[in-house]
Amino acid sequence: MRRSHMRSRTALALLLTLSASPLAAQVIDLPQVVISANQFPMASDRVGSAVTVLLGNELREKNVPSLEAALRTVPGMSVNRTGSRGSVTEIRMRGAENNHLLVLIDGIEVNALANLAFDFADVPIDDIERIEVIRGPQSGIYGSNAHAGVISIVTRTGKGLKGAKFNGRVEGGMLGTYSGGFNLRDAVGPVYGSVTATGYGSDGYNISHFGSERDGSRAFTGTAKFGVDFSEYLNVEGVVRYGRRSVDGDPQDFDCTFDPISSTCPPTNPATYGLVIDGNERTDHEGLAARIGATLKLWDGRWIQTANAKLFDETLTQFSNGAQSSQLGGTRETFDYKSTTILDTNLAGGERHTFTVAADHRRETYGASFLPGVDFEKKRLGLAAEYVLDLPTHTTISGAVRHDWNDPFENVTTWRLALSQRLPATASRIHASIGKGITDPDHTEILGFPAFFILPNSNLKPESSIGWDVGLEQSFWNGRLITDVTYFSTAFTDKIQASFVGFNTLFVNAPGTSHRQGVEVAATWNVTDRFSIITSYTYTHARTALNVAEIRRPAHSGSIEATLHSVDGRGRATIGADYNGTRTDTRFAYPANFVARMPATTIAWASLSYDVTDRATAFVRVENLLDHRYEELFSFRAQPFAAYGGLKVKLGEK
């Protein structure tokens, strides 16, 4: 505990040291509006939570291939992929678990029904307008899973266009990889729409250290968004997103022979037990996310009401040696309503009040192939409220509270407070937040394992934490250098863990408190009009309630990328590197597992583009530029050097 306090003081000292640097004369130039950090969109310099915004156009210009690759550059994120493109990809924010992160696509919750995590395996960039990463507990706004933070993805729209626009892309390269996609968007009078389709295939490589079989993947994603402005007061919009992905994989060797005398199961092959070995396995994932909603604005836009119906449906099918071994799936239906009222008063020289009340009803059904005809159901009724006060002193204070009535587990109340204070004379902005985050029990945890209803526990409580952060955004040299330094601390309780009863598993809330704390640093430096550098660094100290380091969370991680534009503006070159420091992982062994130490890795990548014409751009990109041999998870080989090339075209744009 004493060492933990010393680390806290060290992190705070770093924050204060960086904050005391010479100041310039311009506030930070962030995107103008942040959509998802509050119940109602807010100007970026009023948001109290720590936020990173990535714009789709900028990611496509640098030929970033997927959401996973984009998020590796965001502070506070730890990314682990189990193999080649399309393999299971986990992201942990601020040392939390991978199911403590809520993921929204156009406002639709897309976390998996099985374990409440989101698989970042292959979300393409082609249809993304913007990505908002909100760090810190957001359950007071969103409820469950917004435990450590929220990733909100907004897809492209045709709203506001004066004519049709088309973007297309084709690409091919090493590892037998091909991919392509297009986006078409337009607006005709009050009607607007956008359609995107992307697909890829890859032979991949062997993710096991044994044998030579390659593990490939294939995927397709389609998104359609349409809307109608019936008047300046009423808008109706709908979106449908469909995806399917098929990924070849290799199993971990847990083959053993049961000994009835000793009631143990010694490994059949001790040399490979617990390791990834060559095998014929495949996982198919199919998902559908849809939303239709209406927005009504009254009182000159000071009373805004929205109502939505949302659907998320997914099926996960696993195959072994060509035969189906399991199938899991279900649906999530959500109906929500939100009312926001904006009032101005002049009690303190001119202030603005924003009141929001919101309600939602969510129903989840989930089933498995080994229990045909049996579906498990979870329900939630949520009621939330938020008040935002803007003062003429460049101060914004917000408070939010939410209560969820859950079935069949315990009800819960969450909250969040946030502060933003601009200091115009010093080009600084202080942001801070504190809140309670929760993650609901998943279906397996409530029902027991290996088969549902073996050891159910309806008394499970949601996992919870109290987290806070404080940070400083700072601009130097008339905005050419922009930095953000944030200290965070979280106390995590009610962790759900397995308790073994014979060959079955009962899940319980464990005693004790786990502590996570650290520092996030981000900087953007426009060195010249043609040369820029973006960098991030995260220090994370994550310990269990027994004061043991959490696995798969490096203490030190970061990224850097440098982009150079040619003199004529037609060429762009970007080179970058992602760093993951030393970390631990579980080494499965017999008769007991142990902790494996994973060495630090620095993986470089590069991209080069040239505008052949005003409508066509040729590009090449390289992954694992130095062909570094490494693992992100123990025993799973990471991708070797690979190069790709392609062509992008655009029509209808000036």
Side-chain angles (χ1 to χ4, degrees), residues 328-352:
L328 307 170
T331 60
R332 177 185 295 124
E333 301 169 348
T334 306
F335 300 91
D336 63 45
Y337 168 80
K338 185 185 299 184
S339 172
T340 299
T341 304
I342 302 171
L343 300 174
D344 292 328
T345 59
N346 196 27
L347 300 176
E351 56 278 342
R352 170 161 290 189

Side-chain angles (χ1 to χ4, degrees), residues 346-417:
N346 196 27
L347 300 176
E351 56 278 342
R352 170 161 290 189
H353 313 265
T354 305
F355 302 90
T356 300
V357 293
D360 65 70
H361 181 269
R362 187 180 72 184
R363 176 178 176 266
E364 294 181 353
T365 58
Y366 185 72
S369 58
F370 52 79
L371 287 174
V374 178
D375 285 333
F376 176 66
E377 185 176 81
K378 290 198 306 183
K379 293 181 180 180
R380 182 189 77 183
L381 176 63
L383 182 63
E386 183 184 48
Y387 169 60
V388 180
L389 173 63
D390 286 304
L391 295 171
T393 55
H394 306 288
T395 306
T396 299
I397 303 170
S398 67
V401 64
R402 178 185 175 97
H403 185 78
D404 290 321
W405 290 268
N406 296 309
D407 180 16
F409 50 93
E410 186 175 282
N411 302 334
V412 65
T413 299
T414 52
W415 51 273
R416 192 197 69 180
L417 298 172

Side-chain angles (χ1 to χ4, degrees), residues 171-247:
E171 178 182 310
M174 297 175 64
L175 306 180
T177 302
Y178 61 89
S179 67
F182 75 87
N183 170 258
L184 176 64
R185 56 201 187 280
D186 194 6
V188 180
V191 180
Y192 59 90
S194 176
V195 176
T196 307
T198 62
Y200 85 89
S202 176
D203 294 337
Y205 63 96
N206 185 20
I207 66 175
S208 169
H209 289 277
F210 306 95
S212 58
E213 177 233 13
R214 299 173 72 172
D215 301 297
S217 59
R218 297 145 297 282
F220 168 82
T221 303
T223 305
K225 180 188 286 186
F226 295 94
V228 181
D229 291 318
F230 287 98
S231 71
E232 60 181 308
Y233 309 108
L234 178 62
N235 169 270
V236 175
E237 184 177 273
V239 60
V240 177
R241 180 186 179 89
Y242 170 78
R244 65 172 185 266
R245 181 174 70 251
S246 182
V247 185

Side-chain angles (χ1 to χ4, degrees), residues 109 131 150 188 254 289 296 396 406 447 489 512 529 535 548 584 647:
E109 181 181 347
I131 304 164
V150 174
V188 180
F254 293 119
L296 177 65
T396 299
N406 296 309
L447 298 176
S489 180
D529 292 340
T535 186
V548 176
T584 60
L647 184 70

Side-chain angles (χ1 to χ4, degrees), residues 43-264:
S44 59
D45 59 0
R46 295 168 50 203
V47 175
S49 296
V51 177
T52 299
V53 178
L54 305 175
L55 301 180
N57 284 338
E58 295 179 358
L59 296 174
R60 285 184 287 273
E61 185 178 270
K62 292 183 285 191
N63 302 308
V64 176
S66 64
L67 175 65
E68 167 223 333
L71 293 175
R72 289 178 183 270
T73 67
V74 176
M77 315 290 271
S78 175
V79 183
N80 296 294
R81 193 169 80 182
T82 57
S84 57
R85 179 174 178 175
S87 301
V88 174
T89 305
E90 302 173 336
I91 290 185
R92 293 172 172 84
M93 180 181 286
R94 290 185 170 180
E97 303 295 339
N98 62 324
N99 64 334
H100 292 174
L101 180 60
L102 178 66
V103 180
L104 305 170
I105 299 180
D106 287 324
I108 308 164
E109 181 181 347
V110 291
N111 289 60
L113 292 158
N115 60 3
L116 302 181
F118 180 76
D119 185 358
F120 291 84
D122 191 68
V123 180
I125 297 296
D126 301 74
D127 68 343
I128 292 179
E129 183 71 30
R130 61 192 285 126
I131 304 164
E132 297 183 351
V133 181
I134 305 105
R135 299 184 294 279
Q138 309 298 321
S139 293
I141 304 291
Y142 291 102
S144 177
N145 293 99
H147 194 151
V150 174
I151 295 177
S152 178
I153 301 164
V154 180
T155 62
R156 301 171 90 171
T157 177
K159 189 176 179 68
L161 293 183
K162 303 300 182 182
K165 294 186 177 182
F166 173 86
N167 294 85
R169 173 185 59 86
V170 293
E171 178 182 310
M174 297 175 64
L175 306 180
T177 302
Y178 61 89
S179 67
F182 75 87
N183 170 258
L184 176 64
R185 56 201 187 280
D186 194 6
V188 180
V191 180
Y192 59 90
S194 176
V195 176
T196 307
T198 62
Y200 85 89
S202 176
D203 294 337
Y205 63 96
N206 185 20
I207 66 175
S208 169
H209 289 277
F210 306 95
S212 58
E213 177 233 13
R214 299 173 72 172
D215 301 297
S217 59
R218 297 145 297 282
F220 168 82
T221 303
T223 305
K225 180 188 286 186
F226 295 94
V228 181
D229 291 318
F230 287 98
S231 71
E232 60 181 308
Y233 309 108
L234 178 62
N235 169 270
V236 175
E237 184 177 273
V239 60
V240 177
R241 180 186 179 89
Y242 170 78
R244 65 172 185 266
R245 181 174 70 251
S246 182
V247 185
D248 300 327
D250 289 330
Q252 288 178 277
D253 180 13
F254 293 119
D255 191 20
C256 63
T257 303
F258 181 70
D259 181 359
I261 298 177
S262 63
S263 295
T264 60

